[in-house]
Amino acid sequence: MADRHTNGRILLALTGWQSEIWIDELGKAAPDRAVTLEPEGEADPTIDYAVVWKQRPGLLSNLPNLKAIFSLGAGVDHIFADTSLPDVPIVRVVSPDLTTRMSEYVVWQVLDHHRRGPLYRAQQADRVWYEHREQTAASALTVGIMGLGELGRDAAAKLRVLGFQLSGWSRTEKQVDGVACHAGETGLGPFLASADIVVVLLPLTPDTRGILNHDLFKRMTRRGPLGAPVLINAGRGGLQSEADILSALDEGLLSAVTLDVFEQEPLAAESRLWSHPKVTLTPHAAAASVPSSLIAPIVKQMDALERGEALMHLVDRKAGY
Ligand code: NDP
Ligand code: OXD
């Protein structure tokens, strides 16, 4: 019987995620491609593509005919955790579905802090009726977005509709409608001086690792309507020092934080973050990678490459994202 798997072969390498649903989706989107898992696909010279989330270090450098690596996340720090990567293109997720999910998360958390959600929930738990009715207008607050990429720009557009003032910070100069844009080290000071709520949508790279630390919190404005600023990190846990976040909350440098990502995931049961009254936690759930929306575009890119077309959403190895 003829082999129906006539096109480039795929190794699916996932850590911490169930494979079945991804295999099902690959089967639907690419019935003409064989899909292999470890250990069968290890060092297999017939593998053309790797589709990965936190692949095992060393796995990819043993695939002699690998043509491209596809990340199942928008972030690619999980791929670069392997220091022996082969020199093939790396494609990351840029997807309307993922972008929409992240913007929902950002809008949800910004509004929750703006409309005093944590305070009202605590009062409800204590059966306290709070007569204080002061509400700041959205237009009186500036939301500063660290990372004006695919996710940061969409979140900014949606927050703008709600009437917030916006500022943003990126590595290279940007122009984004309705956003006061700042870039690089020289732009960081003015950016931090502008923002009442800081939303972090940066990638984790050697340049950004640990950037959310005590020194940066000290540079944030405390003159806005909220007093001390609110921090929302949905980028990566490696961007933050959790010890510094806790001390900044205790010292009043920050008024509240929302964290979706952590230095170590899952967050250790003994972390003080779990029970701190000024901390809102979500379990790396801001924008899930959903097989039914991500796999078909990945397979289309494989098809395009085989027709001699260029890949889209390539990672810049030098920049690290
Ligand atoms: P992009 O690559 O599109 O955007 C990254 C942005 O960060 C760009 O504006 C870039 O600047 C900026 N940036 C990078 N390095 C620096 C630096 N050293 N200094 C200042 N700015 C910098 O990424 P996405 O928007 O698609 O995704 C952002 C991150 O969100 C991902 O890397 C991932 O870590 C995280 N994420 C988290 C999820 C979750 O569920 N919590 C889900 C999905 C993603 P420039 O514009 O100049 O290139
Ligand atoms: C991503 C993530 O990078 O889910 O897409 O964190």
Side-chain angles (χ1 to χ4, degrees), residues 17 53 72-76 98 235-236 284 287-289:
W17 291 2
W53 177 254
L72 286 177
V76 288
L98 185 121
R236 278 291 182 268
H284 199 143
S289 289

Side-chain angles (χ1 to χ4, degrees), residues 99-116:
T99 302
T100 301
R101 287 168 194 270
M102 182 57 86
S103 291
E104 283 176 4
Y105 183 86
V106 170
V107 168
W108 169 38
Q109 289 305 314
V110 167
L111 284 177
D112 195 47
H113 289 289
H114 166 51
R115 298 305 304 261
R116 319 192 77 162

Side-chain angles (χ1 to χ4, degrees), residues 82-106:
D82 179 352
T83 51
S84 66
L85 285 180
D87 188 15
V88 298
I90 302 172
V91 176
R92 70 187 195 93
V93 168
V94 175
S95 146
D97 179 73
L98 185 121
T99 302
T100 301
R101 287 168 194 270
M102 182 57 86
S103 291
E104 283 176 4
Y105 183 86
V106 170

Side-chain angles (χ1 to χ4, degrees), residues 238-252:
L239 299 168
Q240 74 205 11
S241 159
E242 285 158 20
D244 286 7
I245 288 175
L246 284 163
S247 54
L249 287 169
D250 295 344
E251 290 163 26

Side-chain angles (χ1 to χ4, degrees), residues 5-283:
H5 296 134
T6 48
N7 281 333
R9 298 163 74 91
I10 301 168
L11 172 69
L12 179 69
L14 311 178
T15 303
W17 291 2
Q18 297 293 323
S19 301
E20 291 72 18
I21 183 164
W22 295 97
I23 293 173
D24 282 357
E25 211 56 51
L26 280 163
K28 282 190 249 163
D32 51 352
R33 297 177 186 277
V35 180
T36 312
L37 299 174
E38 292 176 80
E40 290 76 26
E42 283 175 8
D44 182 343
T46 71
I47 297 291
D48 298 277
Y49 306 110
V51 176
V52 305
W53 177 254
K54 298 186 183 169
Q55 84 283 354
R56 179 172 60 71
L59 175 71
L60 303 180
S61 57
N62 276 327
L63 300 172
N65 290 309
L66 193 67
K67 295 180 181 58
I69 302 165
F70 291 87
S71 168
L72 286 177
V76 288
D77 48 296
H78 66 104
I79 293 181
F80 287 122
D82 179 352
T83 51
S84 66
L85 285 180
D87 188 15
V88 298
I90 302 172
V91 176
R92 70 187 195 93
V93 168
V94 175
S95 146
D97 179 73
L98 185 121
T99 302
T100 301
R101 287 168 194 270
M102 182 57 86
S103 291
E104 283 176 4
Y105 183 86
V106 170
V107 168
W108 169 38
Q109 289 305 314
V110 167
L111 284 177
D112 195 47
H113 289 289
H114 166 51
R115 298 305 304 261
R116 319 192 77 162
L119 171 70
Y120 295 144
R121 284 192 292 277
Q123 290 180 171
Q124 182 178 349
D126 291 342
R127 298 177 175 260
V128 170
W129 183 261
Y130 187 49
E131 284 296 341
H132 179 65
R133 295 186 190 280
E134 188 189 318
Q135 300 274 358
T136 309
S139 59
L141 289 178
T142 298
V143 182
I145 303 184
M146 296 182 83
L148 288 174
E150 296 291 336
L151 304 182
R153 290 195 309 274
D154 192 70
K158 286 168 182 161
L159 290 166
R160 192 179 171 202
V161 171
L162 293 170
F164 292 98
Q165 303 293 318
L166 291 155
S167 63
W169 186 65
S170 54
R171 187 171 62 91
T172 58
E173 302 281 344
K174 291 270 162 309
Q175 287 200 334
V176 182
D177 269 358
V179 180
C181 294
H182 305 272
E185 191 46 51
T186 52
L188 186 57
F191 167 80
L192 294 170
S194 72
D196 303 300
I197 299 178
V198 173
V199 174
V200 184
L201 290 170
L202 289 169
L204 179 60
T205 70
D207 288 342
T208 61
R209 183 175 288 281
I211 190 170
L212 303 176
N213 59 34
H214 201 263
D215 287 347
L216 182 128
F217 304 145
K218 275 201 302 203
R219 295 169 73 189
M220 290 173 161
T221 184
R222 269 164 286 282
R223 295 210 189 100
L226 302 180
V230 171
L231 174 72
I232 299 172
N233 183 13
R236 278 291 182 268
L239 299 168
Q240 74 205 11
S241 159
E242 285 158 20
D244 286 7
I245 288 175
L246 284 163
S247 54
L249 287 169
D250 295 344
E251 290 163 26
L253 289 179
L254 294 171
S255 63
V257 302
T258 290
L259 303 175
D260 183 56
V261 285
F262 302 90
E263 288 174 55
Q264 295 295 327
E265 294 180 8
L267 180 64
E270 59 274 17
S271 169
R272 205 154 69 80
L273 291 168
W274 285 108
S275 56
H276 197 291
K278 294 179 179 168
V279 176
T280 300
L281 298 186
T282 51

